[in-house]
């Protein structure tokens, strides 16, 4: 049955009159999340207290939600676990992967990667102090830079600024051809586009749940380890909840035999309750339909903006197959234009130095939203209404 996007839209709370084009940063509130959270707060925490770990299944939450997310990213059951922030999950994958290629020293990434991923790699390689080199090339140079010095290729599939999408299957195959491993950050992919980790033979992947998966601000990250690697991965963050028998309280660490070894400490039970409710919406959805509809909506937006706003330049690949689910336009005063747009209830965001980002999330957006966003943006540009001091003052979060 094709996905019913009218039905999915009815399952989100969106303030009246708002056009929300920022689900690529923070998804909206699913209608069922408050009751789910309330239940966890009052009936579980409130009534069960410590018994909740056993009686309410809090202990299994990380792997149960991992399997739910796994279904959306082509990961078999038992290969994904949820918890910690994405940056922590990046660290775990990056610490584990080079150890599987101990004779090599190069970690290859690109300048389209999210800075936190590069910072985490710099921090990690610095503390490893084993002569590893983080080699960062331009996104379109990655394929040519894969050679047999590379231990690990570490990329974000969809560029957070331009929405440019790497070819995961092709680059993973190229990495494997020279004996390297491939690690993918799915922050802008999970819940947005079709991902087939097992089909692409990815070695590790990680992502967040507060963007397209709508888990709420600060909802936890996840990590995937390919089945064949799990037993060989030495968790660098060897916390007690990744231990084979946490309640044996042994003095020595023995990793859990499965993906739970990538769990670190106490999971964020309340945040996971909201995420669980958010994932219910995806039970009614085909990712192929989401992808097709997101392309329709983004193409409509690009055509509308290009027809009405000559001062805005498309900063994303024109071919929708080469993009994720977001589109960016460039303007020297992009920050002010975006602030003016937000003041008129069309929400996107801004990434320095000049990119206005717009996310297309078919679960709760339709053509009328797109047309309204284009109309308001065109009016702002035609009247220069964005050109006011109040819109130029930078806030902490852009
Ligand atoms: C591609 C990518 N990687 C990593 C991060 C960092 O995630 P977190 O703040 O949850 O650690 C982000 C945050 O937006 C991101 O977009």
């Amino acid at each position: 049955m094709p996905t019913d996007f009218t039905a999915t839209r009815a399952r989100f709370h969106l303030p009246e009159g708002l056009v929300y084009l920022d689900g690529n940063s923070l998804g909206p509130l699913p209608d069922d999340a408050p009751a789910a959270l309330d239940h966890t707060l009052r009936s579980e925490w409130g009534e069960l207290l410590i018994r909740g770990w056993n009686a309410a299944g809090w202990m299994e939450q990380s792997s149960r939600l991992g399997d739910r997310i796994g279904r959306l990213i082509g990961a078999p059951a038992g290969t994904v676990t949820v918890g910690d922030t994405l940056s922590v999950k990046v660290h775990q994958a990056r610490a584990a992967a080079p150890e599987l290629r101990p004779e090599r020293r190069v970690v290859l990434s690109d300048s389209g990667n999210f800075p936190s991923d590069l910072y985490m790699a710099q921090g990690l390689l610095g503390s490893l102090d084993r002569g590893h080199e983080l080699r960062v090339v331009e996104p379109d140079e990655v394929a040519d830079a894969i050679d047999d010095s590379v231990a690990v290729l570490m990329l974000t599939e969809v560029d957070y600024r331009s929405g440019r999408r790497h070819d995961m299957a092709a680059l993973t195959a190229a990495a494997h051809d020279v004996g390297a491993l491939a690690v993918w950050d799915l922050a802008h992919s999970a819940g947005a586009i079709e991902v087939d980790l097992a089909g692409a033979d990815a070695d590790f992947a990680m992502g967040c749940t507060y963007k397209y998966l709508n888990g709420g601000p600060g909802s936890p990250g996840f990590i995937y380890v390919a089945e064949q690697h799990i037993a060989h991965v030495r968790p660098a963050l060897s916390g007690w909840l990744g231990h084979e028998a946490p309640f044996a309280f042994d003095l020595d660490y023995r990793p859990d035999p499965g993906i739970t070894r990538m769990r670190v400490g106490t999971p964020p039970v309340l945040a996971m309750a909201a995420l669980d409710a958010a994932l219910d919406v995806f039970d009614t959805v085909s990712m192929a339909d989401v992808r097709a509809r997101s392309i329709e909506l983004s193409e409509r937006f690009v055509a509308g903006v290009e027809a009405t706003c000559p001062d805005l330049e498309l900063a994303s690949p024109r071919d929708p197959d080469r993009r994720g689910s977001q589109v960016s336009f460039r303007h020297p005063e992009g920050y002010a234009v975006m602030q003016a747009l937000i003041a008129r209830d069309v929400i996107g965001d801004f990434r320095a130095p000049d990119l206005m980002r717009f996310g297309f999330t078919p679960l709760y957006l339709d053509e009328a939203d797109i047309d309204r966003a284009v109309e308001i943006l065109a009016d702002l540009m035609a009247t220069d209404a964005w050109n006011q001091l109040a819109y130029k003052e930078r806030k902490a979060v852009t």
Side-chain angles (χ1 to χ4, degrees), residues 85-87 114 116-117 156 185 187-188 210-211:
T85 67
L86 170 54
S87 298
F114 191 73
S116 191
D117 292 37
T156 293
D185 184 332
H188 299 269
Y210 44 77
K211 299 180 193 290

Side-chain angles (χ1 to χ4, degrees), residues 3 16-17 31 35 65 74 136 146 157 188 194 233 251 266 349 353 381:
T3 304
E16 194 58 40
D31 280 334
L65 295 193
V136 179
I146 299 173
E157 185 186 18
H188 299 269
E194 287 173 282
V233 164
L251 293 188
T266 305
D349 63 19
M381 296 309 295

Side-chain angles (χ1 to χ4, degrees), residues 243-264:
H243 194 281
E244 183 176 34
F247 283 84
F249 295 107
D250 290 343
L251 293 188
D252 288 321
Y253 182 75
R254 267 179 293 122
D256 179 272
I259 190 65
T260 296
R261 68 176 56 195
M262 301 313 270
R263 188 156 74 160
V264 184

Side-chain angles (χ1 to χ4, degrees), residues 80-272:
V80 177
T81 186
V82 176
D84 316 300
T85 67
L86 170 54
S87 298
V88 171
K89 288 343 224 180
V90 167
H91 176 88
Q92 287 185 291
R94 288 188 177 180
E99 287 197 10
L100 298 175
R101 292 292 177 272
E103 70 288 359
R104 299 188 180 192
R105 288 289 170 271
V106 174
V107 172
L108 179 64
S109 190
D110 74 358
S111 58
N113 211 338
F114 191 73
S116 191
D117 292 37
L118 298 176
Y119 303 159
M120 294 302 283
Q122 288 161 10
L124 171 71
L125 299 184
S127 54
L128 278 181
D129 198 20
R130 283 195 222 131
H132 282 96
E133 174 199 345
L134 173 64
R135 194 175 288 167
V136 179
V137 300
E138 291 304 304
D140 56 4
E141 292 168 356
V142 170
D144 288 341
I146 299 173
D147 61 29
D148 61 12
S149 68
V150 175
V152 184
L153 174 66
M154 296 181 160
L155 296 172
T156 293
E157 185 186 18
V158 175
D159 187 312
Y160 72 104
R161 286 167 307 186
S162 66
R164 187 236 347 102
R165 184 172 70 87
H166 274 309
D167 185 336
M168 181 189 290
L171 290 174
T172 300
H176 289 173
D177 280 350
V178 298
L181 297 177
V183 178
W184 291 95
D185 184 332
L186 303 179
H188 299 269
S189 310
I193 62 176
E194 287 173 282
V195 178
D196 184 4
L197 288 173
D201 206 13
D203 297 289
F204 292 80
M206 54 275 155
C208 63
T209 59
Y210 44 77
K211 299 180 193 290
Y212 294 95
L213 294 176
N214 311 309
S219 64
F222 63 86
I223 187 166
Y224 160 84
V225 182
E227 263 167 336
Q228 71 273 20
H229 294 316
I230 293 178
H232 307 287
V233 164
R234 189 187 67 84
L237 300 176
S238 37
W240 74 304
L241 287 190
H243 194 281
E244 183 176 34
F247 283 84
F249 295 107
D250 290 343
L251 293 188
D252 288 321
Y253 182 75
R254 267 179 293 122
D256 179 272
I259 190 65
T260 296
R261 68 176 56 195
M262 301 313 270
R263 188 156 74 160
V264 184
T266 305
V269 171
L270 297 180
M272 289 212 217

